């Protein structure tokens, strides 16, 4: 497969030397990582680019760069720094992962992006939201699939069943990533993979990078399962609200199908994820409770930062996206 996406515009020393190294194989990448890796534009973009080498790759970049020494060195450093920050910000992690999942997924009256978007019913905000989510949704389910060869028994069966639904049960065009592309198309956006990465701030890139961070290291498998379980357990309410918000701004059924499909599928996935995926895993690995809980808490943390940025921007009346490249050049 020839990769179609092009390398993004660098945001600092780290990403510029990485991009240059990927093009030439000859640039040394600085070995610094910022204190706030989760919020650092340069670091999150660099990590996103490194991870994409393991998904779709980049036009003009040698596929062997995925295991290039210099690239792996920067990847390990950024991954270690991001994991350390997540563990430090998440703090004390409970051992009873199932109780934690129940608590985190219970309805709350805290700030909610889906409620806000439903109340405002603003097409511009919905389009920004769709652009933000595009980095992950256009490869929806792929990073969680990394867990499959590492599981057995009930947990494996549950993951296969969930992922099969995510991939549209083998029906071309029905994968959730493809439904997301239809939503973008109905919103007048370009659904090409990687198209909007230059517009995505660090807080958005961190949501996708987190799943790859947990997915690409076998050591972190229980955390990946905790992440997926909370994902599924917090889906139906917001999905129903996003669908209603899109309907309110005149988006057709085709554009809302992604959300409507999730309302139905995730009502089942949330039970499967809690009882068989996490339940089955913990039955065989009772020592893994804290790590499952860590994955769920890490998701909760990056999602709060993500939603907080969008809500703050919308309240200020400013764009939640980075300026388009042409605007950035003009500025
Ligand atoms: Fe899905
Ligand atoms: Fe699901």
């Amino acid at each position: 497969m020839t990769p179609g996406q092009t390398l993004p515009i660098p945001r600092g020393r780290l990403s510029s030397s990485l991009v240059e190294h990927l093009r030439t194989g000859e640039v040394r990448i600085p070995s610094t990582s910022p204190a706030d890796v989760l919020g650092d534009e340069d670091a999150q973009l660099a990590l996103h680019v490194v991870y994409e080498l393991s998904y779709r790759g980049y036009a003009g970049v040698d596929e062997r760069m995925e295991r290039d020494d210099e690239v792996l060195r920067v990847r390990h450093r950024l991954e270690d720094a991001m994991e350390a920050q997540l563990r430090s910000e998440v703090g004390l992690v409970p051992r009873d992962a199932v109780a934690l999942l129940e608590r985190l997924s219970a309805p709350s009256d805290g700030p909610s992006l889906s409620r806000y978007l439903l109340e405002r019913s603003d097409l511009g905000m919905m389009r920004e939201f769709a652009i933000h989510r595009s980095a992950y949704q256009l490869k929806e389910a792929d990073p969680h699939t990394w867990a499959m060869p590492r599981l057995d028994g009930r947990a494996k069966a549950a993951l296969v069943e969930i992922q099969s639904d995510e991939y549209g049960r083998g029906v071309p065009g029905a994968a959730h990533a493809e439904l997301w592309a239809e939503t973008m198309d109905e919103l007048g956006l370009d659904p090409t993979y990687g198209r909007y990465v230059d517009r995505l701030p660090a807080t958005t890139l961190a949501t996708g990078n987190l799943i790859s961070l947990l997915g690409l290291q076998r050591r972190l498998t229980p955390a990946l399962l905790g992440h997926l379980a909370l994902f599924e357990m917090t889906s139906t309410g917001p999905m129903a609200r996003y669908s209603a918000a899109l309907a309110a701004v005149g988006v057709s059924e085709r554009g809302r199908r992604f959300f409507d499909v999730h309302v139905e599928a995730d009502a089942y996935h949330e039970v499967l994820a809690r009882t068989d995926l996490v339940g089955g895993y913990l039955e065989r690995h009772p020592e893994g409770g804290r790590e499952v809980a860590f994955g769920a808490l890490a998701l909760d943390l990056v999602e709060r930062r993500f939603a907080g940025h969008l809500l703050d921007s919308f309240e200020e009346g400013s764009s939640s996206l980075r300026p388009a490249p042409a605007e950035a050049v003009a500025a």
Side-chain angles (χ1 to χ4, degrees):
M1 188 179 72
T2 311
Q5 63 176 337
T6 52
L7 285 163
I9 297 169
R11 301 182 189 176
R13 271 185 66 218
L14 195 55
S15 51
S16 62
S17 52
L18 171 66
V19 161
E20 215 30 51
H21 181 76
L22 292 177
R23 284 198 182 110
T24 64
E26 284 170 4
V27 174
R28 187 117 181 107
I29 306 164
S31 43
T32 50
S33 42
D36 177 22
V37 188
L38 289 172
D40 189 87
E41 298 293 335
D42 196 23
Q44 286 300 323
L45 182 69
L47 197 52
H48 173 86
V49 169
V50 167
Y51 283 148
E52 275 305 311
L53 300 173
S54 298
Y55 292 102
R56 310 281 177 101
Y58 287 99
V61 172
D62 189 327
E63 290 185 323
R64 284 170 295 194
M65 276 293 169
E66 183 186 2
R67 56 191 293 276
D68 173 87
D69 285 347
E70 190 71 5
V71 171
L72 288 179
R73 195 176 55 80
V74 74
R75 172 177 153 186
H76 295 166
R77 207 178 51 249
L78 289 172
E79 284 182 327
D80 288 350
M82 182 157 159
E83 185 184 341
Q85 185 178 0
L86 286 166
R87 290 197 188 272
S88 142
E89 291 198 16
V90 155
L92 211 58
V93 176
R95 196 178 322 171
D96 188 344
V98 174
L100 176 83
L101 287 166
E102 303 276 6
R103 182 170 66 73
L104 290 176
S105 60
S108 85
D109 11 299
S112 154
L113 188 57
S114 58
R115 275 195 205 97
Y116 186 92
L117 287 171
L118 181 56
E119 276 165 23
R120 302 300 149 116
S121 295
D122 180 301
L123 182 59
M125 290 180 189
M126 289 307 300
R127 292 177 87 240
E128 285 198 14
F129 169 71
I131 289 174
H132 281 285
R133 287 299 196 202
S134 67
Y136 171 67
Q137 300 299 352
L138 290 174
K139 63 166 180 260
E140 191 190 324
D142 290 342
H144 290 118
T145 303
W146 297 119
M148 229 175 252
R150 301 166 187 160
L151 298 176
D152 54 14
R154 264 168 72 207
K156 186 172 195 130
L159 183 61
V160 169
E161 191 170 359
I162 291 171
Q163 297 300 85
S164 171
D165 285 343
E166 305 297 341
Y167 291 124
R169 293 191 168 258
V171 177
H176 294 177
E178 292 169 300
L179 301 182
W180 183 261
E182 290 186 350
T183 296
M184 292 188 76
D185 186 47
E186 288 290 315
L187 283 166
L189 301 170
D190 181 353
T192 307
Y193 190 92
R195 162 73 180 78
Y196 292 106
V197 169
D198 287 324
R199 309 291 314 273
L200 306 180
T203 42
T204 299
L205 294 176
T207 61
N209 286 340
L210 171 65
I211 325 180
S212 298
L213 170 75
L214 302 180
L216 286 166
Q217 298 179 59
R218 189 172 64 85
R219 169 180 66 89
L220 296 170
T221 302
L224 182 69
L225 301 186
H227 181 287
L228 177 57
L230 188 60
F231 222 62
E232 299 292 348
M233 290 168 73
T234 50
S235 172
T236 54
M239 289 292 180
R241 287 190 284 273
Y242 290 130
S243 179
L246 285 168
V249 293
V251 172
S252 71
E253 216 179 302
R254 175 177 179 258
R256 303 194 315 266
R257 202 163 137 229
F258 170 90
F259 300 95
D260 297 339
V261 160
H262 277 92
V263 173
E264 201 177 312
D266 288 344
Y268 176 53
H269 289 175
E270 66 177 64
V271 179
L272 202 56
R274 187 183 60 234
T275 56
D276 291 309
L277 182 70
V278 167
Y281 182 82
L282 292 177
E283 206 171 70
R284 295 208 174 176
H285 307 274
E287 75 292 349
R290 281 193 205 279
E291 277 300 276
V292 172
F294 165 64
L297 286 165
L299 168 63
D300 188 59
L301 179 83
V302 297
E303 282 296 319
R304 275 175 200 279
R305 290 174 72 125
F306 166 79
H309 170 70
L310 266 70
L311 291 169
D312 287 350
S313 306
F314 292 156
E315 275 299 286
E316 284 168 12
S318 58
S319 174
S320 60
L321 298 165
R322 290 171 57 83
E327 296 166 40
V329 169

